[in-house]
């Protein structure tokens, strides 16, 4: 990659591309410096350390996911919205495995509060209003959906479903059908 003008944004993008190629855990300031054919020290005027770089990649991934989710959810409700949101996460993980892993990176509370993660929660809660869920059931359902989407995607990406039939797309469709049925019949808090 050509040296060009370095900036935190350019370094973050390079780190995100690197994460997709070699895995998020392998991303370091040293590896990004190699991409730009510069000394590591020259990056420290733009980044504090590898943790800062990973935080920036996580924030980028959350933003990209939120933008995709907002576009996919526009004008949809109920099962159609549920399926659209789930497919955003699955498709993003397939296209950008390192960035998807970055989206799971634990952020400092102030960074999390200012991140696009807040948009994700709002969109999921808006989706759940179509199922007539109120608090605290909305929070429980947000956690359930996040767990189901991430769990399935992580197992699928790790090859956990590649050794048996039926096809993973068929299972994914059935999982979404089951989640829709559960949300429509959510047990009410006493």
């Amino acid at each position: 990659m050509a040296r060009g003008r370095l900036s935190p944004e350019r370094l973050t993008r390079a780190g995100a591309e690197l994460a997709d190629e070699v895995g998020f855990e392998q991303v370091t300031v040293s590896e990004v410096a190699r991409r730009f054919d510069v000394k590591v020290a020259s990056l420290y005027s733009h980044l504090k350390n590898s943790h800062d770089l990973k935080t920036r990649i996580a924030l980028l991934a959350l933003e990209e996911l939120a933008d995709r989710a907002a576009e996919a959810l526009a004008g949809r409700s109920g099962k159609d919205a549920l399926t659209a949101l789930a497919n955003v996460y699955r498709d993003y993980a397939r296209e950008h495995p390192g960035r998807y892993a970055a989206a799971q990176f634990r952020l400092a509370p102030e960074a999390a509060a200012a991140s696009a993660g807040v948009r994700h929660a709002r969109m999921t809660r808006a989706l759940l209003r179509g199922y007539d869920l109120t608090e605290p059931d909305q929070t429980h359902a947000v956690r359930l959906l996040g767990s189901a989407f991430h769990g399935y995607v992580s197992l699928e990406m790790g090859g956990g479903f590649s050794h048996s039939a039926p096809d993973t797309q068929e299972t994914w469709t059935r999982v979404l059908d089951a989640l829709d049925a559960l949300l429509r019949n959510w047990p009410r808090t006493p």
Side-chain angles (χ1 to χ4, degrees):
M1 184 175 280
R3 278 187 195 203
R5 184 173 165 92
L6 298 178
S7 69
E9 295 78 19
R10 191 160 181 229
L11 296 172
T12 300
R13 289 248 172 237
E17 291 169 11
L18 181 63
D20 287 338
E21 293 168 18
V22 302
F24 181 63
E25 290 303 317
Q26 305 308 313
V27 174
T28 63
V29 173
S30 299
E31 289 298 321
V32 173
R34 280 190 202 101
R35 289 225 158 181
F36 287 95
D37 194 29
V38 297
K39 293 186 186 306
V40 173
S42 64
L43 299 189
Y44 286 119
S45 61
H46 305 287
L47 301 168
K48 294 176 192 169
N49 51 37
S50 289
H51 187 272
D52 179 39
L53 174 61
K54 287 185 173 187
T55 296
R56 289 172 184 272
I57 296 167
L59 294 171
L60 172 67
L62 287 169
E63 191 72 36
E64 289 175 344
L65 268 167
D67 290 346
R68 285 185 181 201
E71 186 176 321
L73 288 171
R76 298 177 191 257
S77 63
K79 185 179 179 198
D80 192 32
L82 174 70
T83 301
L85 182 64
N87 285 336
V88 163
Y89 287 101
R90 188 174 183 221
D91 293 346
Y92 189 79
R94 288 173 163 177
E95 293 169 35
H96 300 290
R99 293 179 206 204
Y100 180 78
Q104 314 310 314
F105 187 64
R106 185 181 198 107
L107 298 172
E110 59 279 356
S115 77
V118 175
R119 286 177 56 206
H120 290 269
R122 280 192 206 128
M123 286 185 277
T124 306
R125 287 177 186 282
L127 177 156
L128 291 171
R129 283 194 294 276
Y131 289 98
D132 198 29
L133 293 181
T134 57
E135 284 302 340
D137 293 325
Q138 262 191 15
T139 297
H140 299 313
V142 166
R143 291 172 180 169
L144 170 71
L145 292 178
S147 299
F149 298 165
H150 179 65
Y152 191 92
V153 167
S154 296
L155 289 168
E156 182 180 37
M157 297 287 292
F161 304 139
S162 61
H163 305 294
S164 63
D167 179 73
T168 58
Q169 180 57 46
E170 183 179 339
T171 303
W172 180 246
T173 300
R174 297 289 290 146
V175 166
L176 297 178
D177 289 344
L179 288 170
D180 174 63
L182 172 65
L183 292 171
R184 283 186 285 109
N185 297 289
W186 191 267
R188 299 297 170 196
T189 304

